[in-house]
PDB file of all heavy atoms in Angstrom:
ATOM      1  N   THR A   1       3.726 -27.523  64.097  1.00  0.00           N
ATOM      2  CA  THR A   1       3.926 -26.228  64.732  1.00  0.00           C
ATOM      3  C   THR A   1       5.049 -25.476  64.042  1.00  0.00           C
ATOM      4  O   THR A   1       6.080 -26.059  63.728  1.00  0.00           O
ATOM      5  CB  THR A   1       4.303 -26.416  66.219  1.00  0.00           C
ATOM      6  OG1 THR A   1       3.290 -27.195  66.841  1.00  0.00           O
ATOM      7  CG2 THR A   1       4.432 -25.092  66.923  1.00  0.00           C
ATOM      8  N   GLU A   2       4.866 -24.200  63.810  1.00  0.00           N
ATOM      9  CA  GLU A   2       5.918 -23.340  63.259  1.00  0.00           C
ATOM     10  C   GLU A   2       6.693 -22.755  64.426  1.00  0.00           C
ATOM     11  O   GLU A   2       6.148 -22.011  65.239  1.00  0.00           O
ATOM     12  CB  GLU A   2       5.300 -22.229  62.406  1.00  0.00           C
ATOM     13  CG  GLU A   2       6.219 -21.077  62.061  1.00  0.00           C
ATOM     14  CD  GLU A   2       7.462 -21.462  61.301  1.00  0.00           C
ATOM     15  OE1 GLU A   2       7.401 -21.521  60.077  1.00  0.00           O
ATOM     16  OE2 GLU A   2       8.503 -21.717  61.943  1.00  0.00           O
ATOM     17  N   ALA A   3       7.977 -23.119  64.516  1.00  0.00           N
ATOM     18  CA  ALA A   3       8.794 -22.658  65.636  1.00  0.00           C
ATOM     19  C   ALA A   3       9.609 -21.410  65.302  1.00  0.00           C
ATOM     20  O   ALA A   3      10.204 -20.814  66.176  1.00  0.00           O
ATOM     21  CB  ALA A   3       9.732 -23.777  66.084  1.00  0.00           C
ATOM     22  N   GLY A   4       9.643 -21.020  64.049  1.00  0.00           N
ATOM     23  CA  GLY A   4      10.451 -19.869  63.646  1.00  0.00           C
ATOM     24  C   GLY A   4       9.823 -18.552  64.035  1.00  0.00           C
ATOM     25  O   GLY A   4       8.643 -18.470  64.392  1.00  0.00           O
ATOM     26  N   SER A   5      10.604 -17.494  63.951  1.00  0.00           N
ATOM     27  CA  SER A   5      10.113 -16.169  64.354  1.00  0.00           C
ATOM     28  C   SER A   5       9.215 -15.537  63.296  1.00  0.00           C
ATOM     29  O   SER A   5       8.435 -14.643  63.599  1.00  0.00           O
ATOM     30  CB  SER A   5      11.303 -15.246  64.643  1.00  0.00           C
ATOM     31  OG  SER A   5      12.120 -15.142  63.487  1.00  0.00           O
ATOM     32  N   LYS A   6       9.297 -15.981  62.045  1.00  0.00           N
ATOM     33  CA  LYS A   6       8.474 -15.376  60.988  1.00  0.00           C
ATOM     34  C   LYS A   6       7.057 -15.935  60.953  1.00  0.00           C
ATOM     35  O   LYS A   6       6.187 -15.378  60.314  1.00  0.00           O
ATOM     36  CB  LYS A   6       9.147 -15.575  59.626  1.00  0.00           C
ATOM     37  CG  LYS A   6      10.430 -14.782  59.505  1.00  0.00           C
ATOM     38  CD  LYS A   6      11.000 -14.887  58.121  1.00  0.00           C
ATOM     39  CE  LYS A   6      12.280 -14.073  58.045  1.00  0.00           C
ATOM     40  NZ  LYS A   6      12.886 -14.142  56.727  1.00  0.00           N
ATOM     41  N   LYS A   7       6.830 -17.048  61.620  1.00  0.00           N
ATOM     42  CA  LYS A   7       5.506 -17.676  61.724  1.00  0.00           C
ATOM     43  C   LYS A   7       4.848 -17.881  60.360  1.00  0.00           C
ATOM     44  O   LYS A   7       3.704 -17.512  60.136  1.00  0.00           O
ATOM     45  CB  LYS A   7       4.576 -16.876  62.644  1.00  0.00           C
ATOM     46  CG  LYS A   7       5.111 -16.693  64.040  1.00  0.00           C
ATOM     47  CD  LYS A   7       5.252 -18.015  64.741  1.00  0.00           C
ATOM     48  CE  LYS A   7       5.794 -17.801  66.150  1.00  0.00           C
ATOM     49  NZ  LYS A   7       6.420 -18.969  66.685  1.00  0.00           N
ATOM     50  N   GLY A   8       5.590 -18.470  59.440  1.00  0.00           N
ATOM     51  CA  GLY A   8       5.052 -18.817  58.125  1.00  0.00           C
ATOM     52  C   GLY A   8       4.991 -20.326  58.001  1.00  0.00           C
ATOM     53  O   GLY A   8       5.946 -21.027  58.304  1.00  0.00           O
ATOM     54  N   LEU A   9       3.863 -20.849  57.604  1.00  0.00           N
ATOM     55  CA  LEU A   9       3.689 -22.288  57.520  1.00  0.00           C
ATOM     56  C   LEU A   9       2.845 -22.601  56.295  1.00  0.00           C
ATOM     57  O   LEU A   9       1.856 -21.927  56.028  1.00  0.00           O
ATOM     58  CB  LEU A   9       3.000 -22.795  58.792  1.00  0.00           C
ATOM     59  CG  LEU A   9       2.686 -24.272  58.890  1.00  0.00           C
ATOM     60  CD1 LEU A   9       3.973 -25.090  58.957  1.00  0.00           C
ATOM     61  CD2 LEU A   9       1.858 -24.535  60.140  1.00  0.00           C
ATOM     62  N   ALA A  10       3.248 -23.624  55.554  1.00  0.00           N
ATOM     63  CA  ALA A  10       2.467 -24.080  54.408  1.00  0.00           C
ATOM     64  C   ALA A  10       2.337 -25.593  54.509  1.00  0.00           C
ATOM     65  O   ALA A  10       3.261 -26.275  54.949  1.00  0.00           O
ATOM     66  CB  ALA A  10       3.147 -23.706  53.098  1.00  0.00           C
ATOM     67  N   VAL A  11       1.184 -26.105  54.123  1.00  0.00           N
ATOM     68  CA  VAL A  11       0.946 -27.544  54.148  1.00  0.00           C
ATOM     69  C   VAL A  11       0.487 -27.949  52.759  1.00  0.00           C
ATOM     70  O   VAL A  11      -0.382 -27.308  52.161  1.00  0.00           O
ATOM     71  CB  VAL A  11      -0.132 -27.903  55.203  1.00  0.00           C
ATOM     72  CG1 VAL A  11      -0.443 -29.380  55.169  1.00  0.00           C
ATOM     73  CG2 VAL A  11       0.312 -27.452  56.581  1.00  0.00           C
ATOM     74  N   TYR A  12       1.095 -29.016  52.240  1.00  0.00           N
ATOM     75  CA  TYR A  12       0.751 -29.534  50.921  1.00  0.00           C
ATOM     76  C   TYR A  12       0.374 -31.005  51.057  1.00  0.00           C
ATOM     77  O   TYR A  12       1.011 -31.739  51.805  1.00  0.00           O
ATOM     78  CB  TYR A  12       1.949 -29.448  49.966  1.00  0.00           C
ATOM     79  CG  TYR A  12       2.396 -28.049  49.658  1.00  0.00           C
ATOM     80  CD1 TYR A  12       3.256 -27.371  50.513  1.00  0.00           C
ATOM     81  CD2 TYR A  12       1.970 -27.406  48.502  1.00  0.00           C
ATOM     82  CE1 TYR A  12       3.675 -26.078  50.236  1.00  0.00           C
ATOM     83  CE2 TYR A  12       2.388 -26.119  48.214  1.00  0.00           C
ATOM     84  CZ  TYR A  12       3.239 -25.458  49.086  1.00  0.00           C
ATOM     85  OH  TYR A  12       3.652 -24.187  48.808  1.00  0.00           O
ATOM     86  N   VAL A  13      -0.632 -31.430  50.334  1.00  0.00           N
ATOM     87  CA  VAL A  13      -0.975 -32.842  50.230  1.00  0.00           C
ATOM     88  C   VAL A  13      -0.589 -33.254  48.816  1.00  0.00           C
ATOM     89  O   VAL A  13      -1.190 -32.802  47.836  1.00  0.00           O
ATOM     90  CB  VAL A  13      -2.481 -33.087  50.496  1.00  0.00           C
ATOM     91  CG1 VAL A  13      -2.814 -34.568  50.337  1.00  0.00           C
ATOM     92  CG2 VAL A  13      -2.856 -32.584  51.886  1.00  0.00           C
ATOM     93  N   VAL A  14       0.453 -34.071  48.716  1.00  0.00           N
ATOM     94  CA  VAL A  14       1.014 -34.449  47.414  1.00  0.00           C
ATOM     95  C   VAL A  14       1.323 -35.936  47.387  1.00  0.00           C
ATOM     96  O   VAL A  14       1.386 -36.601  48.417  1.00  0.00           O
ATOM     97  CB  VAL A  14       2.308 -33.649  47.115  1.00  0.00           C
ATOM     98  CG1 VAL A  14       2.020 -32.158  47.014  1.00  0.00           C
ATOM     99  CG2 VAL A  14       3.368 -33.905  48.175  1.00  0.00           C
ATOM    100  N   ARG A  15       1.550 -36.450  46.200  1.00  0.00           N
ATOM    101  CA  ARG A  15       1.941 -37.855  46.030  1.00  0.00           C
ATOM    102  C   ARG A  15       3.456 -38.034  46.176  1.00  0.00           C
ATOM    103  O   ARG A  15       3.921 -39.100  46.548  1.00  0.00           O
ATOM    104  CB  ARG A  15       1.483 -38.372  44.682  1.00  0.00           C
ATOM    105  CG  ARG A  15      -0.021 -38.408  44.517  1.00  0.00           C
ATOM    106  CD  ARG A  15      -0.417 -39.256  43.326  1.00  0.00           C
ATOM    107  NE  ARG A  15      -1.790 -39.151  42.905  1.00  0.00           N
ATOM    108  CZ  ARG A  15      -2.863 -39.413  43.617  1.00  0.00           C
ATOM    109  NH1 ARG A  15      -2.739 -39.773  44.859  1.00  0.00           N
ATOM    110  NH2 ARG A  15      -4.062 -39.306  43.118  1.00  0.00           N
ATOM    111  N   ALA A  16       4.217 -36.983  45.852  1.00  0.00           N
ATOM    112  CA  ALA A  16       5.678 -37.057  45.924  1.00  0.00           C
ATOM    113  C   ALA A  16       6.214 -35.730  46.466  1.00  0.00           C
ATOM    114  O   ALA A  16       5.695 -34.666  46.116  1.00  0.00           O
ATOM    115  CB  ALA A  16       6.266 -37.339  44.550  1.00  0.00           C
ATOM    116  N   PRO A  17       7.237 -35.768  47.303  1.00  0.00           N
ATOM    117  CA  PRO A  17       7.786 -34.527  47.865  1.00  0.00           C
ATOM    118  C   PRO A  17       8.191 -33.500  46.808  1.00  0.00           C
ATOM    119  O   PRO A  17       8.051 -32.298  47.039  1.00  0.00           O
ATOM    120  CB  PRO A  17       9.011 -35.002  48.658  1.00  0.00           C
ATOM    121  CG  PRO A  17       8.707 -36.414  49.004  1.00  0.00           C
ATOM    122  CD  PRO A  17       7.906 -36.946  47.835  1.00  0.00           C
ATOM    123  N   ALA A  18       8.667 -33.925  45.657  1.00  0.00           N
ATOM    124  CA  ALA A  18       9.102 -32.991  44.617  1.00  0.00           C
ATOM    125  C   ALA A  18       7.952 -32.154  44.057  1.00  0.00           C
ATOM    126  O   ALA A  18       8.188 -31.170  43.355  1.00  0.00           O
ATOM    127  CB  ALA A  18       9.805 -33.736  43.492  1.00  0.00           C
ATOM    128  N   GLU A  19       6.713 -32.511  44.375  1.00  0.00           N
ATOM    129  CA  GLU A  19       5.562 -31.716  43.939  1.00  0.00           C
ATOM    130  C   GLU A  19       5.391 -30.445  44.772  1.00  0.00           C
ATOM    131  O   GLU A  19       4.645 -29.550  44.391  1.00  0.00           O
ATOM    132  CB  GLU A  19       4.278 -32.555  44.007  1.00  0.00           C
ATOM    133  CG  GLU A  19       4.249 -33.718  43.031  1.00  0.00           C
ATOM    134  CD  GLU A  19       2.997 -34.564  43.201  1.00  0.00           C
ATOM    135  OE1 GLU A  19       1.931 -34.014  43.568  1.00  0.00           O
ATOM    136  OE2 GLU A  19       3.089 -35.781  42.977  1.00  0.00           O
ATOM    137  N   VAL A  20       6.069 -30.354  45.895  1.00  0.00           N
ATOM    138  CA  VAL A  20       6.023 -29.167  46.741  1.00  0.00           C
ATOM    139  C   VAL A  20       7.040 -28.176  46.185  1.00  0.00           C
ATOM    140  O   VAL A  20       8.225 -28.498  46.075  1.00  0.00           O
ATOM    141  CB  VAL A  20       6.357 -29.502  48.208  1.00  0.00           C
ATOM    142  CG1 VAL A  20       6.363 -28.243  49.065  1.00  0.00           C
ATOM    143  CG2 VAL A  20       5.383 -30.538  48.746  1.00  0.00           C
ATOM    144  N   PRO A  21       6.601 -26.956  45.811  1.00  0.00           N
ATOM    145  CA  PRO A  21       7.518 -26.007  45.173  1.00  0.00           C
ATOM    146  C   PRO A  21       8.814 -25.765  45.935  1.00  0.00           C
ATOM    147  O   PRO A  21       9.892 -25.744  45.345  1.00  0.00           O
ATOM    148  CB  PRO A  21       6.686 -24.731  45.065  1.00  0.00           C
ATOM    149  CG  PRO A  21       5.262 -25.191  45.087  1.00  0.00           C
ATOM    150  CD  PRO A  21       5.241 -26.418  45.935  1.00  0.00           C
ATOM    151  N   GLY A  22       8.738 -25.603  47.233  1.00  0.00           N
ATOM    152  CA  GLY A  22       9.943 -25.343  48.019  1.00  0.00           C
ATOM    153  C   GLY A  22      10.905 -26.513  48.064  1.00  0.00           C
ATOM    154  O   GLY A  22      12.109 -26.336  48.208  1.00  0.00           O
ATOM    155  N   ILE A  23      10.402 -27.710  47.937  1.00  0.00           N
ATOM    156  CA  ILE A  23      11.265 -28.898  47.930  1.00  0.00           C
ATOM    157  C   ILE A  23      11.853 -29.119  46.539  1.00  0.00           C
ATOM    158  O   ILE A  23      13.016 -29.485  46.400  1.00  0.00           O
ATOM    159  CB  ILE A  23      10.500 -30.135  48.431  1.00  0.00           C
ATOM    160  CG1 ILE A  23      10.180 -29.951  49.917  1.00  0.00           C
ATOM    161  CG2 ILE A  23      11.298 -31.412  48.187  1.00  0.00           C
ATOM    162  CD1 ILE A  23       9.321 -31.029  50.515  1.00  0.00           C
ATOM    163  N   ALA A  24      11.051 -28.869  45.527  1.00  0.00           N
ATOM    164  CA  ALA A  24      11.507 -29.080  44.150  1.00  0.00           C
ATOM    165  C   ALA A  24      12.712 -28.209  43.797  1.00  0.00           C
ATOM    166  O   ALA A  24      13.523 -28.578  42.947  1.00  0.00           O
ATOM    167  CB  ALA A  24      10.365 -28.811  43.176  1.00  0.00           C
ATOM    168  N   THR A  25      12.854 -27.068  44.463  1.00  0.00           N
ATOM    169  CA  THR A  25      13.949 -26.148  44.136  1.00  0.00           C
ATOM    170  C   THR A  25      15.141 -26.248  45.091  1.00  0.00           C
ATOM    171  O   THR A  25      16.075 -25.458  44.986  1.00  0.00           O
ATOM    172  CB  THR A  25      13.440 -24.698  44.130  1.00  0.00           C
ATOM    173  OG1 THR A  25      12.918 -24.374  45.421  1.00  0.00           O
ATOM    174  CG2 THR A  25      12.366 -24.489  43.068  1.00  0.00           C
ATOM    175  N   LEU A  26      15.114 -27.206  46.027  1.00  0.00           N
ATOM    176  CA  LEU A  26      16.218 -27.330  46.975  1.00  0.00           C
ATOM    177  C   LEU A  26      17.506 -27.770  46.280  1.00  0.00           C
ATOM    178  O   LEU A  26      17.493 -28.598  45.380  1.00  0.00           O
ATOM    179  CB  LEU A  26      15.887 -28.351  48.065  1.00  0.00           C
ATOM    180  CG  LEU A  26      14.899 -27.928  49.128  1.00  0.00           C
ATOM    181  CD1 LEU A  26      14.592 -29.103  50.063  1.00  0.00           C
ATOM    182  CD2 LEU A  26      15.394 -26.736  49.919  1.00  0.00           C
ATOM    183  N   GLY A  27      18.604 -27.235  46.772  1.00  0.00           N
ATOM    184  CA  GLY A  27      19.913 -27.667  46.313  1.00  0.00           C
ATOM    185  C   GLY A  27      20.241 -29.025  46.904  1.00  0.00           C
ATOM    186  O   GLY A  27      19.416 -29.646  47.580  1.00  0.00           O
ATOM    187  N   PRO A  28      21.460 -29.489  46.700  1.00  0.00           N
ATOM    188  CA  PRO A  28      21.845 -30.808  47.194  1.00  0.00           C
ATOM    189  C   PRO A  28      21.880 -30.874  48.723  1.00  0.00           C
ATOM    190  O   PRO A  28      22.125 -29.872  49.395  1.00  0.00           O
ATOM    191  CB  PRO A  28      23.246 -31.020  46.615  1.00  0.00           C
ATOM    192  CG  PRO A  28      23.753 -29.651  46.316  1.00  0.00           C
ATOM    193  CD  PRO A  28      22.551 -28.824  45.981  1.00  0.00           C
ATOM    194  N   ASP A  29      21.641 -32.073  49.238  1.00  0.00           N
ATOM    195  CA  ASP A  29      21.722 -32.336  50.671  1.00  0.00           C
ATOM    196  C   ASP A  29      23.190 -32.462  51.041  1.00  0.00           C
ATOM    197  O   ASP A  29      23.889 -33.342  50.530  1.00  0.00           O
ATOM    198  CB  ASP A  29      20.978 -33.638  50.981  1.00  0.00           C
ATOM    199  CG  ASP A  29      21.023 -34.043  52.442  1.00  0.00           C
ATOM    200  OD1 ASP A  29      21.830 -33.485  53.224  1.00  0.00           O
ATOM    201  OD2 ASP A  29      20.244 -34.944  52.809  1.00  0.00           O
ATOM    202  N   PRO A  30      23.701 -31.614  51.931  1.00  0.00           N
ATOM    203  CA  PRO A  30      25.120 -31.657  52.256  1.00  0.00           C
ATOM    204  C   PRO A  30      25.548 -32.916  53.017  1.00  0.00           C
ATOM    205  O   PRO A  30      26.743 -33.165  53.150  1.00  0.00           O
ATOM    206  CB  PRO A  30      25.342 -30.397  53.096  1.00  0.00           C
ATOM    207  CG  PRO A  30      24.003 -30.032  53.603  1.00  0.00           C
ATOM    208  CD  PRO A  30      23.002 -30.529  52.612  1.00  0.00           C
ATOM    209  N   LEU A  31      24.599 -33.728  53.476  1.00  0.00           N
ATOM    210  CA  LEU A  31      24.962 -34.977  54.146  1.00  0.00           C
ATOM    211  C   LEU A  31      24.816 -36.190  53.217  1.00  0.00           C
ATOM    212  O   LEU A  31      25.051 -37.322  53.638  1.00  0.00           O
ATOM    213  CB  LEU A  31      24.138 -35.159  55.421  1.00  0.00           C
ATOM    214  CG  LEU A  31      24.412 -34.115  56.506  1.00  0.00           C
ATOM    215  CD1 LEU A  31      23.573 -34.392  57.745  1.00  0.00           C
ATOM    216  CD2 LEU A  31      25.891 -34.068  56.854  1.00  0.00           C
ATOM    217  N   ASP A  32      24.463 -35.938  51.978  1.00  0.00           N
ATOM    218  CA  ASP A  32      24.384 -37.009  50.984  1.00  0.00           C
ATOM    219  C   ASP A  32      25.802 -37.406  50.555  1.00  0.00           C
ATOM    220  O   ASP A  32      26.701 -36.564  50.489  1.00  0.00           O
ATOM    221  CB  ASP A  32      23.582 -36.516  49.765  1.00  0.00           C
ATOM    222  CG  ASP A  32      23.370 -37.612  48.760  1.00  0.00           C
ATOM    223  OD1 ASP A  32      22.436 -38.401  48.940  1.00  0.00           O
ATOM    224  OD2 ASP A  32      24.162 -37.675  47.783  1.00  0.00           O
ATOM    225  N   GLU A  33      26.013 -38.680  50.257  1.00  0.00           N
ATOM    226  CA  GLU A  33      27.333 -39.157  49.834  1.00  0.00           C
ATOM    227  C   GLU A  33      27.861 -38.424  48.604  1.00  0.00           C
ATOM    228  O   GLU A  33      29.062 -38.278  48.428  1.00  0.00           O
ATOM    229  CB  GLU A  33      27.294 -40.661  49.558  1.00  0.00           C
ATOM    230  CG  GLU A  33      27.211 -41.506  50.800  1.00  0.00           C
ATOM    231  CD  GLU A  33      27.202 -42.994  50.477  1.00  0.00           C
ATOM    232  OE1 GLU A  33      27.624 -43.376  49.359  1.00  0.00           O
ATOM    233  OE2 GLU A  33      26.771 -43.757  51.344  1.00  0.00           O
ATOM    234  N   GLY A  34      26.961 -37.978  47.740  1.00  0.00           N
ATOM    235  CA  GLY A  34      27.369 -37.285  46.522  1.00  0.00           C
ATOM    236  C   GLY A  34      27.850 -35.860  46.751  1.00  0.00           C
ATOM    237  O   GLY A  34      28.397 -35.228  45.843  1.00  0.00           O
ATOM    238  N   PHE A  35      27.649 -35.344  47.956  1.00  0.00           N
ATOM    239  CA  PHE A  35      28.101 -33.986  48.275  1.00  0.00           C
ATOM    240  C   PHE A  35      29.557 -34.070  48.720  1.00  0.00           C
ATOM    241  O   PHE A  35      29.872 -34.154  49.902  1.00  0.00           O
ATOM    242  CB  PHE A  35      27.225 -33.347  49.349  1.00  0.00           C
ATOM    243  CG  PHE A  35      27.543 -31.892  49.593  1.00  0.00           C
ATOM    244  CD1 PHE A  35      27.073 -30.921  48.738  1.00  0.00           C
ATOM    245  CD2 PHE A  35      28.321 -31.505  50.677  1.00  0.00           C
ATOM    246  CE1 PHE A  35      27.365 -29.578  48.948  1.00  0.00           C
ATOM    247  CE2 PHE A  35      28.623 -30.178  50.908  1.00  0.00           C
ATOM    248  CZ  PHE A  35      28.143 -29.215  50.039  1.00  0.00           C
TER     249      PHE A  35
END
């Protein structure tokens, strides 16, 4: 379910999360030890 106000949703069937364009371009996770 899309809970946001813009009501935009995309679904990808991939072998690895990095194959999803929006995930591949994410910056670092601020809760990762390296941050």
Side-chain angles (χ1 to χ4, degrees):
T1 304
E2 165 59 87
S5 59
K6 292 185 180 180
K7 302 296 180 202
L9 178 66
V11 176
Y12 295 84
V13 178
V14 297
R15 296 195 192 301
E19 294 176 32
V20 178
I23 293 175
T25 60
L26 286 175
D29 178 347
L31 295 181
D32 185 83
E33 287 181 20
F35 187 79

